[in-house]
Amino acid sequence: MATRSALQLDWTVERLHALPNDGKRYEIIDGILYVTPAPRYVHQRAVMVLYALLQPYATMVELDVMPLLGDVRYSERTLVQPDIFVFRNAPGARVRDWPGIHPLHLVVEVLSRSTRTRDRTVKRALYQAEGIPEYWIVDIRNRAFEWWRPAQSHSDVRTRQLLWQPVPERAPLVIDVPAYFRDVLDE
């Protein structure tokens, strides 16, 4: 379960990087440390199935997709590790380290028991404040995507079809939501 206590206030990226690599996910948002256990199998399967859908399309529109725990740093007191994030490489150059990934075009978090509240509140507010054009929350239990844009106060819930069109001149990627969840849940 994710934890937060008075002893976990005023964290910095430097302090965070000094922690041991113990298989847990460590993030800080506004100086508060969040510790989450390693994700469960179905969580990681949801990430990898979605990555497999996004990656070919992203390559076609000259974007990069990163799954699984890359450092996204917004300040000395805020560093998160989204389940999936999409960014554009600078023309003629490949990103070589995490600081080069900004701006992000899409962030995806897969809900779990330990992250459900944080993904829907603290992280959503962060991604909206940072102007991320789209934030998707994958809700495996309800077989739905919650789709957020920066100015929205409520999500659009997608249970049939999800469109992603980061480049207006290109046709959108169409994700069949029920087929996605059947693949994730191996049904």
Side-chain angles (χ1 to χ4, degrees):
M1 170 168 268
T3 60
R4 182 178 131 178
S5 73
L7 297 175
Q8 295 171 310
L9 298 175
D10 248 1
W11 278 79
T12 64
V13 171
E14 183 179 350
R15 267 183 83 191
L16 180 75
H17 285 156
L19 293 173
N21 185 356
D22 60 5
K24 295 179 181 168
R25 178 187 257 179
Y26 293 90
E27 300 175 294
I28 53 173
I29 301 173
D30 292 329
I32 299 170
L33 176 66
Y34 295 91
V35 182
T36 308
R40 294 177 182 225
Y41 174 82
V42 72
H43 179 279
Q44 293 305 83
R45 180 151 176 82
V47 170
M48 295 313 294
V49 170
L50 186 56
Y51 170 77
L53 294 171
L54 291 172
Q55 197 279 327
Y57 179 83
T59 298
M60 182 184 73
V61 297
E62 300 176 339
L63 295 172
D64 272 348
V65 181
M66 263 313 137
L68 310 171
L69 306 181
D71 289 345
V72 177
R73 181 178 174 168
Y74 288 107
S75 74
E76 188 55 37
R77 298 178 69 237
T78 300
L79 181 145
V80 292
Q81 296 181 332
D83 290 319
I84 296 176
F85 53 93
V86 179
F87 61 97
R88 182 177 308 284
N89 276 301
R94 273 280 200 226
V95 170
R96 301 277 184 235
D97 204 354
W98 297 124
I101 64 166
H102 294 285
L104 299 182
H105 292 265
L106 169 67
V107 172
V108 180
E109 297 286 4
V110 177
L111 293 180
S112 64
R113 283 181 285 177
S114 60
T115 66
R116 179 173 304 280
T117 300
R118 182 174 59 238
D119 289 344
R120 285 185 168 141
T121 58
V122 177
K123 280 188 158 181
R124 178 187 52 80
L126 170 67
Y127 297 141
Q128 286 182 304
E130 291 296 331
I132 306 300
E134 294 188 41
Y135 173 45
W136 300 350
I137 297 174
V138 179
D139 185 343
I140 298 169
R141 183 173 44 177
N142 292 312
R143 296 180 185 222
F145 281 78
E146 298 172 18
W147 184 77
W148 291 90
R149 298 191 59 101
Q152 286 180 277
S153 59
H154 294 86
S155 69
D156 291 328
V157 177
R158 308 292 169 92
T159 59
R160 305 295 316 146
Q161 189 177 73
L162 180 63
L163 300 178
W164 183 46
Q165 192 173 16
V167 179
E169 302 80 38
R170 299 289 191 104
L173 171 66
V174 179
I175 297 174
D176 179 325
V177 174
Y180 165 77
F181 285 109
R182 280 193 302 273
D183 194 6
V184 167
L185 298 168
D186 202 23
E187 296 176 343

